[in-house]
Amino acid sequence: MHVDMDYFFAAVEQRERGISGKPVIVGADPKHGKGRGVVSTCNYEARAFGVRSGMPISRAYALCPGAVFLPVNFELYERVSERIMLLLRRHADALEIAGIDEAYLDVSARAKDFDGARRIAEGMQREMLGQEALTCSIGVAPNKLVAKMASDSKKPGGITVVKPEAVRAFLEPLPVCRLPGVGAKTEQALKQQGISTIGQLAAADASALVARFGKMGLWFHQASHGVDESAVTERYEAKSISRESTFDEDTGDAAVAEEALRKLAKEVHASALASGALFKTVGIKVRYADFEEHTAARTLRSHADDYGAIEGNALQLLKPFLGRKKIRKLGVRVANLIKRGEQKTIGEYG
Ligand code: DCP
Ligand code: CA
Ligand code: CA
């Protein structure tokens, strides 16, 4: 499956601000039409006016001056993204996060057939609406390539199931630009060869494509036939996961500091779970009101994934810093990360 959130940044803003039925445009400040910079995204009401991602904000203002214009709050979208990935992960044998608002899910072990997969998709959409008040579009197919194209074909809120026997008919009529990686330039080059649909690309001679486009040509040939053997792989890049927060007012109250630390520990834990990470180091950061800053960390005997390990160690680490000066800011961090499933080999000497 490929799951992609609908008008993601704008949908999150709408939800947070309780906006509905109005065009919403997230991006640079329009400055009454004189603004520079671009549209990050917009909701479907704004799209009806012709507004699109990547368009100059001044143009968006000209098209739809009455829209609600909002700045990009990336931190907020990242937090929501983490919760979304956590939700999706519960429905997948393996999850590959492919961007802030999209992921691939391998469901082949838990879904008996494509109808079973559709039911999982329906359940996820219901949960997404109930728990996050957000909609998403889902593609179900025999591989990642077709799933990604399927999720894109009924938006917003669609589920598109492409069974193996239907892959060909699904791809044939689509324009070549729907293939991931085919931009305006390639589209133009293919057009010069008389190829504008994926069906035409599939009918083209493979060796001619390779002669003209090199390696990419070979991929065109395979992709146009809906062939993609790549596995859903849990990528893992982060070296550490951390959260910080600054108190509205500097605090000398140990209970307030501990409560804030617990909240950060919960967020770090959720983030680690969402990305499938196990950690072996738990650390904290304390910044006093005079900006003096300290960090402390503790390495566990083996990799862990439980909330208790973060909370317990973070609270222990905080103790010596309490009752000295007022605290301005606290942070919690986990590091020494490995991907879930790797702990047996790596954890052995831990
Ligand atoms: N984004 C951006 N600039 C772009 C494209 C996207 O900042 N040129 C950001 C904002 C989007 C998010 O990435 O909300 C996800 O991008 P998508 O391409 O998935 O687009 P949306 O989720 O906004 O809309 P759709 O409903 O078409 O998926
Ligand atoms: Ca999206
Ligand atoms: Ca996306």
CSV table of all heavy atoms in Angstrom, one decimal, residues 324-345:
chain,number,residue,atom,x,y,z
A,324,ARG,N,18.8,24.1,42.2
A,324,ARG,CA,20.0,25.0,42.1
A,324,ARG,C,19.6,26.4,41.7
A,324,ARG,O,19.8,27.4,42.4
A,324,ARG,CB,21.1,24.4,41.2
A,324,ARG,CG,21.9,23.3,41.9
A,324,ARG,CD,22.5,22.3,41.0
A,324,ARG,NE,23.5,22.9,40.1
A,324,ARG,CZ,24.3,22.2,39.3
A,324,ARG,NH1,24.3,20.9,39.3
A,324,ARG,NH2,25.1,22.8,38.4
A,325,LYS,N,19.2,26.5,40.4
A,325,LYS,CA,18.7,27.7,39.9
A,325,LYS,C,17.4,27.5,39.1
A,325,LYS,O,17.1,26.4,38.9
A,325,LYS,CB,19.8,28.2,38.9
A,325,LYS,CG,21.1,28.7,39.5
A,325,LYS,CD,22.0,29.4,38.5
A,325,LYS,CE,22.9,28.4,37.8
A,325,LYS,NZ,23.9,29.0,37.0
A,326,LYS,N,16.8,28.6,38.8
A,326,LYS,CA,15.6,28.4,38.0
A,326,LYS,C,15.9,27.9,36.6
A,326,LYS,O,16.9,28.2,36.0
A,326,LYS,CB,14.8,29.8,37.8
A,326,LYS,CG,14.1,30.1,39.1
A,326,LYS,CD,13.1,31.2,38.8
A,326,LYS,CE,12.2,31.4,40.0
A,326,LYS,NZ,11.2,32.5,39.8
A,327,ILE,N,15.0,27.0,36.1
A,327,ILE,CA,15.2,26.4,34.8
A,327,ILE,C,14.4,27.1,33.7
A,327,ILE,O,13.3,27.4,33.9
A,327,ILE,CB,14.9,24.9,34.9
A,327,ILE,CG1,15.8,24.1,35.9
A,327,ILE,CG2,15.0,24.2,33.5
A,327,ILE,CD1,15.4,22.7,36.2
A,328,ARG,N,15.1,27.3,32.6
A,328,ARG,CA,14.5,27.9,31.5
A,328,ARG,C,14.0,26.9,30.4
A,328,ARG,O,12.9,27.0,29.9
A,328,ARG,CB,15.5,28.8,30.8
A,328,ARG,CG,15.0,29.5,29.5
A,328,ARG,CD,16.1,30.3,28.9
A,328,ARG,NE,15.7,30.8,27.6
A,328,ARG,CZ,14.9,31.9,27.4
A,328,ARG,NH1,14.5,32.6,28.5
A,328,ARG,NH2,14.5,32.3,26.2
A,329,LYS,N,14.8,25.9,30.2
A,329,LYS,CA,14.5,24.9,29.2
A,329,LYS,C,15.0,23.5,29.5
A,329,LYS,O,16.0,23.4,30.1
A,329,LYS,CB,15.2,25.4,27.9
A,329,LYS,CG,15.0,24.6,26.7
A,329,LYS,CD,15.5,25.4,25.5
A,329,LYS,CE,16.2,24.7,24.5
A,329,LYS,NZ,16.6,25.5,23.3
A,330,LEU,N,14.2,22.5,29.0
A,330,LEU,CA,14.6,21.1,29.2
A,330,LEU,C,14.6,20.4,27.9
A,330,LEU,O,13.8,20.7,27.0
A,330,LEU,CB,13.6,20.5,30.2
A,330,LEU,CG,13.7,20.8,31.7
A,330,LEU,CD1,12.6,20.1,32.4
A,330,LEU,CD2,15.1,20.4,32.2
A,331,GLY,N,15.4,19.4,27.8
A,331,GLY,CA,15.4,18.5,26.6
A,331,GLY,C,15.6,17.1,27.0
A,331,GLY,O,16.2,16.8,28.0
A,332,VAL,N,15.0,16.2,26.2
A,332,VAL,CA,15.2,14.8,26.3
A,332,VAL,C,15.7,14.2,25.0
A,332,VAL,O,15.2,14.6,23.9
A,332,VAL,CB,13.9,14.1,26.8
A,332,VAL,CG1,14.1,12.5,26.7
A,332,VAL,CG2,13.5,14.5,28.2
A,333,ARG,N,16.6,13.3,25.1
A,333,ARG,CA,17.2,12.7,23.8
A,333,ARG,C,17.4,11.2,24.0
A,333,ARG,O,17.8,10.8,25.0
A,333,ARG,CB,18.5,13.4,23.6
A,333,ARG,CG,19.3,13.1,22.3
A,333,ARG,CD,20.5,14.0,22.3
A,333,ARG,NE,21.6,13.4,23.1
A,333,ARG,CZ,22.6,12.7,22.5
A,333,ARG,NH1,22.7,12.6,21.2
A,333,ARG,NH2,23.5,12.2,23.3
A,334,VAL,N,17.2,10.5,22.9
A,334,VAL,CA,17.7,9.1,22.9
A,334,VAL,C,18.7,9.0,21.7
A,334,VAL,O,18.5,9.6,20.7
A,334,VAL,CB,16.6,8.1,22.7
A,334,VAL,CG1,15.7,8.0,23.9
A,334,VAL,CG2,15.7,8.3,21.5
A,335,ALA,N,19.7,8.2,21.9
A,335,ALA,CA,20.7,8.1,20.8
A,335,ALA,C,21.2,6.6,20.8
A,335,ALA,O,20.7,5.8,21.5
A,335,ALA,CB,21.9,9.0,21.1
A,336,ASN,N,22.2,6.4,20.0
A,336,ASN,CA,22.7,5.0,19.8
A,336,ASN,C,21.6,4.2,19.3
A,336,ASN,O,21.3,3.1,19.8
A,336,ASN,CB,23.1,4.5,21.2
A,336,ASN,CG,24.4,3.8,21.2
A,336,ASN,OD1,24.7,3.1,20.2
A,336,ASN,ND2,25.2,3.9,22.3
A,337,LEU,N,21.0,4.6,18.2
A,337,LEU,CA,19.8,4.0,17.7
A,337,LEU,C,20.1,2.8,16.7
A,337,LEU,O,21.1,2.8,16.0
A,337,LEU,CB,19.0,5.0,16.9
A,337,LEU,CG,18.7,6.3,17.6
A,337,LEU,CD1,17.9,7.3,16.7
A,337,LEU,CD2,17.9,6.1,18.9
A,338,ILE,N,19.2,1.9,16.8
A,338,ILE,CA,19.2,0.8,15.8
A,338,ILE,C,17.8,0.6,15.3
A,338,ILE,O,16.8,1.0,16.0
A,338,ILE,CB,19.8,-0.5,16.2
A,338,ILE,CG1,19.1,-1.0,17.5
A,338,ILE,CG2,21.3,-0.4,16.4
A,338,ILE,CD1,19.4,-2.4,17.8
A,339,LYS,N,17.6,0.0,14.2
A,339,LYS,CA,16.3,-0.3,13.7
A,339,LYS,C,15.8,-1.5,14.4
A,339,LYS,O,16.5,-2.5,14.7
A,339,LYS,CB,16.5,-0.6,12.2
A,339,LYS,CG,15.3,-0.6,11.4
A,339,LYS,CD,15.7,-0.5,9.9
A,339,LYS,CE,15.9,-1.9,9.4
A,339,LYS,NZ,16.3,-1.9,8.0
A,340,ARG,N,14.5,-1.5,14.6
A,340,ARG,CA,13.8,-2.7,15.2
A,340,ARG,C,14.1,-3.9,14.3
A,340,ARG,O,14.1,-3.9,13.1
A,340,ARG,CB,12.3,-2.5,15.2
A,340,ARG,CG,11.5,-3.5,15.8
A,340,ARG,CD,10.0,-3.2,15.8
A,340,ARG,NE,9.8,-1.8,16.4
A,340,ARG,CZ,9.9,-1.6,17.7
A,340,ARG,NH1,10.0,-2.6,18.6
A,340,ARG,NH2,9.7,-0.4,18.2
A,341,GLY,N,14.4,-5.1,15.0
A,341,GLY,CA,14.7,-6.3,14.3
A,341,GLY,C,16.2,-6.5,14.2
A,341,GLY,O,16.7,-7.6,13.9
A,342,GLU,N,17.0,-5.4,14.4
A,342,GLU,CA,18.5,-5.6,14.3
A,342,GLU,C,19.1,-5.8,15.7
A,342,GLU,O,20.3,-6.0,15.8
A,342,GLU,CB,19.1,-4.3,13.7
A,342,GLU,CG,19.0,-4.3,12.3
A,342,GLU,CD,19.6,-3.0,11.7
A,342,GLU,OE1,20.0,-2.1,12.5
A,342,GLU,OE2,19.6,-2.9,10.5
A,343,GLN,N,18.2,-5.8,16.7
A,343,GLN,CA,18.8,-5.8,18.1
A,343,GLN,C,19.5,-7.1,18.4
A,343,GLN,O,20.4,-7.1,19.2
A,343,GLN,CB,17.7,-5.5,19.2
A,343,GLN,CG,16.7,-6.5,19.4
A,343,GLN,CD,15.4,-6.2,18.5
A,343,GLN,OE1,15.6,-5.8,17.4
A,343,GLN,NE2,14.3,-6.5,19.1
A,344,LYS,N,19.1,-8.2,17.8
A,344,LYS,CA,19.7,-9.5,18.1
A,344,LYS,C,21.1,-9.5,17.8
A,344,LYS,O,22.0,-9.9,18.6
A,344,LYS,CB,18.9,-10.6,17.4
A,344,LYS,CG,17.7,-11.0,18.1
A,344,LYS,CD,17.2,-12.4,17.7
A,344,LYS,CE,15.7,-12.5,18.2
A,344,LYS,NZ,14.8,-11.8,17.3
A,345,THR,N,21.4,-9.1,16.6
A,345,THR,CA,22.8,-9.1,16.1
A,345,THR,C,23.7,-8.0,16.8
A,345,THR,O,24.8,-8.3,17.2
A,345,THR,CB,22.9,-8.9,14.6
A,345,THR,OG1,22.1,-7.9,14.2
A,345,THR,CG2,22.5,-10.2,13.9
